[in-house]
Coordinates of all heavy atoms in Angstrom, one line a residue:
F173 N 17.0 3.0 10.6 CA 17.6 2.3 11.8 C 17.5 0.8 11.6 O 16.4 0.3 11.2 CB 16.7 2.7 13.1 CG 17.3 2.1 14.4 CD1 18.3 2.7 15.0 CD2 16.8 0.8 14.7 CE1 18.9 2.0 16.1 CE2 17.4 0.2 15.8 CZ 18.3 0.8 16.5
D174 N 18.6 0.1 11.8 CA 18.7 -1.3 11.7 C 19.9 -1.8 12.6 O 20.5 -0.9 13.3 CB 18.8 -1.8 10.3 CG 20.0 -1.2 9.5 OD1 20.8 -0.6 10.2 OD2 20.0 -1.4 8.4
M175 N 20.2 -3.0 12.5 CA 21.3 -3.4 13.3 C 22.7 -2.8 13.0 O 23.4 -2.5 14.0 CB 21.4 -5.0 13.1 CG 22.0 -5.7 14.3 SD 21.9 -7.4 14.2 CE 23.1 -7.8 12.8
L176 N 22.9 -2.6 11.8 CA 24.1 -1.8 11.4 C 24.2 -0.4 12.0 O 25.3 -0.1 12.5 CB 24.3 -1.8 9.8 CG 25.6 -1.4 9.3 CD1 26.6 -2.5 9.5 CD2 25.4 -1.3 7.8
A177 N 23.1 0.3 11.8 CA 23.0 1.6 12.3 C 23.3 1.7 13.9 O 23.9 2.5 14.4 CB 21.7 2.3 12.0
A178 N 22.7 0.7 14.5 CA 22.7 0.5 16.0 C 24.2 0.2 16.4 O 24.8 0.8 17.3 CB 21.9 -0.7 16.4
R179 N 24.9 -0.7 15.7 CA 26.2 -1.0 15.9 C 27.2 0.2 15.8 O 27.9 0.6 16.6 CB 26.7 -2.1 15.0 CG 28.0 -2.8 15.4 CD 28.4 -4.0 14.6 NE 27.5 -5.1 14.9 CZ 27.1 -6.0 14.0 NH1 27.5 -5.9 12.7 NH2 26.5 -7.0 14.3
N180 N 26.9 1.0 14.7 CA 27.8 2.2 14.5 C 27.5 3.2 15.6 O 28.4 3.9 16.1 CB 27.3 2.8 13.1 CG 27.9 2.1 12.0 OD1 28.9 1.3 12.2 ND2 27.3 2.3 10.8
Y181 N 26.3 3.3 16.0 CA 25.8 4.3 17.0 C 26.5 3.8 18.4 O 27.1 4.7 19.0 CB 24.3 4.2 17.2 CG 23.9 5.3 18.3 CD1 23.7 6.7 18.0 CD2 23.6 4.8 19.6 CE1 23.3 7.4 18.9 CE2 23.2 5.7 20.6 CZ 23.1 7.1 20.2 OH 22.7 8.0 21.1
I182 N 26.4 2.6 18.7 CA 26.9 2.2 20.0 C 28.4 2.2 20.1 O 29.0 2.2 21.3 CB 26.3 0.8 20.5 CG1 26.0 0.7 21.9 CG2 27.1 -0.4 20.0 CD1 25.0 1.7 22.3
R183 N 29.0 2.2 19.0 CA 30.6 2.2 19.0 C 31.0 3.5 19.6 O 32.0 3.6 20.1 CB 31.0 2.1 17.5 CG 32.4 1.7 17.4 CD 32.8 1.4 16.0 NE 32.2 0.2 15.4 CZ 31.9 -0.1 14.1 NH1 32.1 0.9 13.2 NH2 31.4 -1.2 13.7
H184 N 30.2 4.6 19.3 CA 30.7 5.9 19.9 C 29.8 6.3 21.0 O 30.2 7.2 21.8 CB 30.5 7.0 18.8 CG 31.3 6.5 17.6 ND1 32.6 6.5 17.4 CD2 30.7 6.1 16.3 CE1 33.0 6.1 16.2 NE2 31.8 5.9 15.6
G185 N 28.6 5.9 21.2 CA 27.7 6.5 22.1 C 27.4 5.6 23.2 O 27.6 4.3 23.2
P186 N 26.6 6.0 24.2 CA 26.3 5.3 25.4 C 24.9 4.5 25.1 O 24.2 4.8 24.1 CB 26.0 6.3 26.4 CG 25.6 7.5 25.7 CD 26.3 7.4 24.4
F187 N 24.6 3.6 26.1 CA 23.2 2.9 25.9 C 22.1 4.0 26.2 O 22.3 4.8 26.9 CB 23.2 1.7 26.9 CG 24.2 0.6 26.5 CD1 25.3 0.4 27.2 CD2 23.8 -0.2 25.4 CE1 26.2 -0.6 26.9 CE2 24.7 -1.3 25.1 CZ 25.9 -1.5 25.8
I188 N 20.9 3.5 25.6 CA 19.9 4.5 25.6 C 18.8 4.1 26.7 O 18.4 2.9 26.8 CB 19.3 4.4 24.2 CG1 20.2 4.6 23.1 CG2 18.1 5.4 24.0 CD1 21.0 6.0 23.2
D189 N 18.3 5.1 27.4 CA 17.3 4.9 28.4 C 15.9 4.8 27.8 O 15.1 4.0 28.4 CB 17.3 6.1 29.3 CG 18.7 6.3 30.0 OD1 19.2 5.3 30.6 OD2 19.2 7.4 29.9
I190 N 15.6 5.5 26.8 CA 14.2 5.4 26.2 C 14.4 5.3 24.6 O 15.1 6.1 24.1 CB 13.4 6.7 26.5 CG1 13.4 6.9 28.0 CG2 12.0 6.5 25.9 CD1 12.8 8.3 28.4
I191 N 13.8 4.3 24.1 CA 13.8 4.2 22.6 C 12.2 4.4 22.2 O 11.3 3.7 22.8 CB 14.3 3.0 22.0 CG1 15.7 2.7 22.5 CG2 14.2 2.9 20.5 CD1 16.3 1.5 22.0
V192 N 11.9 5.3 21.3 CA 10.5 5.6 20.9 C 10.4 5.3 19.4 O 11.3 5.6 18.6 CB 10.1 7.0 21.1 CG1 8.7 7.3 20.8 CG2 10.4 7.5 22.5
A193 N 9.3 4.6 19.0 CA 9.0 4.5 17.6 C 7.5 4.6 17.4 O 6.8 3.7 17.9 CB 9.5 3.1 17.1
T194 N 7.0 5.6 16.7 CA 5.5 5.7 16.6 C 5.2 5.6 15.1 O 5.8 6.3 14.2 CB 5.0 7.1 17.1 OG1 5.6 8.1 16.3 CG2 5.3 7.4 18.6
N195 N 4.2 4.7 14.9 CA 3.8 4.3 13.5 C 5.0 4.1 12.6 O 5.0 4.4 11.5 CB 3.0 5.5 13.0 CG 2.0 5.0 11.9 OD1 1.6 3.9 11.9 ND2 1.7 5.9 11.0
T196 N 6.0 3.4 13.1 CA 7.2 3.2 12.3 C 7.4 1.7 12.1 O 7.6 1.2 10.9 CB 8.4 3.7 13.1 OG1 8.3 5.1 13.2 CG2 9.8 3.5 12.4
L197 N 7.3 0.9 13.2 CA 7.5 -0.6 13.0 C 6.7 -1.2 12.0 O 7.0 -2.2 11.3 CB 7.5 -1.3 14.4 CG 8.5 -1.0 15.4 CD1 8.5 -2.1 16.4 CD2 9.9 -0.9 14.9
C198 N 5.4 -0.8 11.9 CA 4.5 -1.4 10.9 C 5.0 -1.2 9.5 O 4.6 -1.9 8.6 CB 3.1 -1.0 11.2 SG 2.8 0.7 10.7
H199 N 5.8 -0.1 9.3 CA 6.4 0.2 8.0 C 7.7 -0.6 7.6 O 8.0 -0.6 6.4 CB 6.7 1.7 7.9 CG 5.4 2.6 7.8 ND1 4.7 2.9 8.9 CD2 4.9 3.1 6.7 CE1 3.7 3.7 8.5 NE2 3.8 3.8 7.1
V200 N 8.4 -1.0 8.7 CA 9.8 -1.5 8.4 C 9.7 -2.8 7.5 O 8.8 -3.7 7.7 CB 10.7 -1.6 9.6 CG1 10.8 -0.3 10.3 CG2 10.3 -2.7 10.5
H201 N 10.7 -3.0 6.6 CA 10.7 -4.2 5.9 C 11.2 -5.4 6.6 O 10.6 -6.4 6.7 CB 11.7 -3.9 4.6 CG 11.5 -4.9 3.5 ND1 10.3 -4.8 2.6 CD2 12.1 -6.0 3.1 CE1 10.4 -5.7 1.7 NE2 11.5 -6.5 2.0
D202 N 12.4 -5.1 7.3 CA 12.9 -6.3 8.1 C 12.8 -6.1 9.5 O 13.7 -5.4 10.2 CB 14.6 -6.3 7.6 CG 15.2 -7.6 8.2 OD1 14.6 -8.2 9.1 OD2 16.3 -7.9 7.7
L203 N 11.8 -6.4 10.1 CA 11.3 -6.2 11.4 C 12.4 -6.7 12.4 O 12.8 -6.1 13.4 CB 10.0 -6.8 11.7 CG 9.2 -6.6 12.9 CD1 9.0 -5.0 13.2 CD2 7.9 -7.2 13.0
N204 N 12.9 -7.9 12.1 CA 13.9 -8.6 13.0 C 15.2 -7.8 13.1 O 15.7 -7.7 14.2 CB 14.1 -10.0 12.5 CG 12.9 -10.9 12.8 OD1 12.3 -10.9 13.9 ND2 12.5 -11.7 11.8
N205 N 15.5 -7.3 12.0 CA 16.8 -6.5 12.0 C 16.7 -5.2 12.9 O 17.6 -4.9 13.6 CB 17.0 -6.1 10.5 CG 18.5 -5.7 10.2 OD1 19.2 -5.5 11.1 ND2 19.0 -5.7 9.0
V206 N 15.5 -4.6 12.8 CA 15.2 -3.4 13.6 C 15.2 -3.8 15.2 O 15.9 -3.1 15.9 CB 13.9 -2.7 13.2 CG1 13.6 -1.6 14.1 CG2 14.1 -2.2 11.8
L207 N 14.6 -4.9 15.4 CA 14.5 -5.3 16.8 C 15.9 -5.8 17.4 O 16.2 -5.4 18.5 CB 13.5 -6.5 17.1 CG 12.1 -6.0 17.1 CD1 11.1 -7.0 16.8 CD2 11.8 -5.2 18.4
L208 N 16.7 -6.3 16.5 CA 18.1 -6.6 17.0 C 18.8 -5.4 17.3 O 19.6 -5.3 18.3 CB 18.8 -7.4 15.8 CG 18.4 -8.9 15.7 CD1 19.0 -9.4 14.3 CD2 19.0 -9.7 16.9
G209 N 18.6 -4.4 16.5 CA 19.2 -3.0 16.7 C 18.8 -2.4 18.1 O 19.5 -1.9 18.9
I210 N 17.5 -2.5 18.3 CA 16.9 -2.0 19.5 C 17.4 -2.7 20.8 O 17.9 -2.0 21.8 CB 15.3 -2.0 19.4 CG1 14.8 -1.1 18.5 CG2 14.7 -1.8 20.9 CD1 13.3 -1.3 18.1
K211 N 17.4 -4.0 20.7 CA 18.0 -4.8 21.7 C 19.4 -4.4 22.1 O 19.9 -4.3 23.2 CB 17.9 -6.3 21.4 CG 18.5 -7.3 22.4 CD 17.7 -7.6 23.6 CE 18.4 -8.5 24.6 NZ 17.7 -8.5 25.8

Side-chain angles (χ1 to χ4, degrees):
F173 179 85
D174 55 13
M175 207 168 69
L176 192 67
R179 193 172 288 147
N180 285 337
Y181 181 83
I182 215 65
R183 202 172 284 151
H184 309 289
F187 289 104
I188 304 303
D189 303 307
I190 304 167
I191 303 177
V192 184
T194 63
N195 207 25
T196 302
L197 289 201
C198 69
H199 286 80
V200 304
H201 197 77
D202 188 346
L203 190 56
N204 289 314
N205 202 338
V206 172
L207 281 161
L208 284 167
I210 289 167
K211 174 80 184 166

